[in-house]
Amino acid sequence: MRVLLLGASQNIGYFVAQRLLAKGHTCTFLLRRPDAMQSDPSMSEYIQSGSAKLVRGDALVREDVQKVWDVANSDGPVDLIFFGIGGYPSFSLTKGFVLNPADLTTRSMSILLSVVQASSVRPKLITVSSNGLDPRTHSLLPWLLKIFYEWGLRQPHEDKIGLENNVKQATSSEGWLDPKNSVIVRPSLLTSGKCLADTKSDAYRTGEELRSAWTVSRADVGHFIAEKVVEEWDRWAGKAWVVSY
């Protein structure tokens, strides 16, 4: 399988990439700093063999996205796109966590979709978003997380709403992408813990809605995407899934 990954230099995308490469898939990365991955000992074998292709660029620059799209399709059509861009927000006492630019994921997804739409290739798309964005899932959050999300993550979550709206527009009845080719993943509050699912089959929960969804590790979200969504696509296709302990 040929996979294009945006937002996979670290965090969830990195864990997804490691698992996909270990399964023998070819992964093409759009990276602002390819040297960081080139110096990663766990990636060197894949880079040398050509199963990991690194393309320097910025997801906010259409020419760069077009370039990585062309590279990813050079040996055959892309089967899957992973979108895990999240940025690194700064903290403000008055605004909570803020992204710069404020529409990072919304705009980068818009650029990606425009590039894909202009081609004849129609891959599957996995989008990492956040839990608690809509009124229903927000109402199910633990009350402490409600407060934190409403104040501390208001601006990043507004960006995630824009991100999801772009995907929903592309997969709507008037859109160009088959809804069954899209899966949105909505993790609860992310932690840096280890992957519990490697040793415990019921390490995390999944559902279109979940109560008491406090936290989940980035590694376990990577496990869910690579080991469950990718491997059992029809089970998850066309929906948004909350992942949490």
Side-chain angles (χ1 to χ4, degrees):
M1 183 170 66
R2 288 170 289 274
V3 186
L4 170 61
L5 300 101
L6 287 78
S9 61
Q10 299 182 58
N11 301 324
I12 294 171
Y14 181 82
F15 294 117
V16 171
Q18 286 279 356
R19 290 181 179 275
L20 294 180
L21 287 165
K23 292 174 182 287
H25 301 303
T26 299
C27 294
T28 303
F29 300 80
L30 179 64
L31 302 166
R32 286 182 295 175
R33 293 181 56 247
D35 54 302
M37 188 167 285
Q38 288 169 339
S39 62
D40 183 344
S42 66
M43 295 295 293
S44 59
E45 176 186 347
Y46 302 120
I47 295 171
Q48 291 171 8
S49 69
S51 56
K53 302 178 181 181
L54 314 185
V55 177
R56 183 184 298 275
D58 188 326
L60 292 173
V61 178
R62 194 183 195 284
E63 291 77 10
D64 290 349
V65 177
Q66 183 67 61
K67 177 174 63 176
V68 76
W69 177 247
D70 292 341
V71 171
N73 283 280
S74 60
D75 295 324
V78 168
D79 301 291
L80 172 69
I81 298 174
F82 168 85
F83 184 97
I85 292 173
Y88 297 92
S90 58
F91 181 74
S92 164
L93 288 175
T94 57
K95 298 180 180 179
F97 290 95
V98 292
L99 288 168
N100 184 21
D103 61 348
L104 171 64
T105 68
T106 300
R107 186 148 48 104
S108 53
M109 176 58 83
S110 178
I111 292 170
L112 171 65
L113 290 174
S114 70
V115 168
V116 178
Q117 184 180 11
S119 76
S120 60
V121 181
R122 293 295 179 261
K124 296 172 181 175
L125 172 65
I126 296 175
T127 305
V128 177
S129 183
S130 298
N131 185 31
L133 300 182
D134 59 87
R136 173 59 183 170
T137 56
H138 186 81
S139 71
L140 298 176
L141 291 172
W143 69 272
L144 282 176
L145 281 188
K146 287 182 183 178
I147 296 172
F148 177 60
Y149 281 17
E150 289 170 1
W151 174 76
L153 294 178
R154 178 182 295 275
Q155 188 264 321
H157 278 187
E158 288 175 352
D159 185 31
K160 293 290 189 182
I161 291 171
L163 163 70
E164 288 200 15
N165 285 341
N166 280 339
V167 176
K168 290 174 182 176
Q169 182 177 1
T171 57
S172 69
S173 58
E174 299 178 355
W176 54 272
L177 186 63
D178 186 341
K180 292 296 184 181
N181 274 13
S182 171
V183 172
I184 294 175
V185 179
R186 294 171 168 172
S188 56
L189 190 64
L190 291 166
T191 71
S192 298
K194 64 181 181 180
C195 182
L196 302 180
D198 281 335
T199 57
K200 187 179 179 183
S201 60
D202 60 348
Y204 52 77
R205 299 175 293 145
T206 59
E208 293 179 69
E209 298 177 355
L210 290 179
R211 293 185 180 275
S212 300
W214 282 94
T215 64
V216 68
S217 75
R218 294 174 177 86
D220 272 315
V221 178
H223 178 280
F224 170 64
I225 291 170
E227 306 296 339
K228 296 192 176 183
V229 175
V230 173
E231 296 296 325
E232 307 171 63
W233 185 266
D234 290 344
R235 175 182 175 185
W236 312 96
K239 296 180 180 179
W241 297 93
V242 181
V243 188
S244 184
Y245 293 140

